[in-house]
Amino acid sequence: MSKDLHSETSFSGHANPGGTVRDAQRLAARTAEIGGGISVARLLPTRQRRMIGAWCFLDHAGPATFAPGGGLRVGPHPHTCLQTFTWMLEGEILHHDSLGNEQMIRPGQVNLMTAGHGIAHTEESPAKETRAHAAQLWIALPADSTDIAPAFDHYPELPRWQENGCQFTLLAGVHGGHTAPAKIYSPLIGMDLFSTQGAALTLPLDHTFEYGILPLEGITEVEGVSFAADELAYLASGYSALPIKLAAGTRALLIGGQPFEDPITLWWNFVGRDKTYIAQAQRDWESNSPRFGDVKGFAGPRLVAPNLPWATT
Ligand code: MN
């Protein structure tokens, strides 16, 4: 593997089917630890790119193997003005939230938690679990929906189909006559592509969307340029079709959406319209405000919000 594949670099793309020469941007992951022997590749936000459509956070967690009793163990913590989106690939994770929901998520399923005005939750690997592999994303809520009531939805069945040697799973949005059940608040898409033998495809795209394609395993070729696992290919809006190739055994995540116009601030586990909103959310969490409620069913302390990194009055 050449070192160049892992450097943060822009390069000239090739002519797209619309005839315009475009640039694809290669975004490298930062490595983060979420505890329990699971390391994550963090693709959003990065210095070069904060969002793709309303998608404002993207962690590729695992694949990881750990001893029984290890794995994920994230205590009660709050969220605001966003939806957390979990796409499970291997292993199981147990969710509890302050609305009283208890839900196990299994491979092939999506959990969508709408924080809106405020919610708290926990996530943990079950005691006997030894594997974890998932994509964990956040979706920013648009300005007219930031303060909606919190909600939690579990989607065990998703639209799946085979085409040209590729298995598609639609995680969110619409594609090729399929509609995913996830309740979303801005135009966006999430899709999983998997090919055992390898595949060459031309994906129809929405020209009003910007896109990111992230190989989770294997190698994806976008407009003739190779992207390895945990290298995110970013495409600005303007594509109505995109030729891609998946090497044998490749799984790739496609996300996209209309460029998000509303200003947002992202700090710790909060999204908000500005720093004042974030500071209030932090105070509310630290003062045990009923805004976030209590999570039952998790044995462990709640997470403490760090101090705000900017001066407050
Ligand atoms: Mn969370």
Side-chain angles (χ1 to χ4, degrees), residues 77 79 84 113 121 123 269:
H77 62 280
H79 289 290
T84 63
M113 186 179 76
H121 75 142
E123 291 164 297
N269 289 302

Side-chain angles (χ1 to χ4, degrees), residues 24 53 69 73 81 89 102 119 139 161 191 203 211 235 243 245 250 268 283 302:
R73 186 167 177 77
C81 299
L89 293 166
E102 173 181 291
I119 197 168
I139 303 167
W161 68 97
M191 192 159 68
L203 285 179
Y211 287 94
L235 300 161
K245 289 182 183 169
T250 294
W268 193 48
R283 280 195 298 274
R302 68 208 300 272

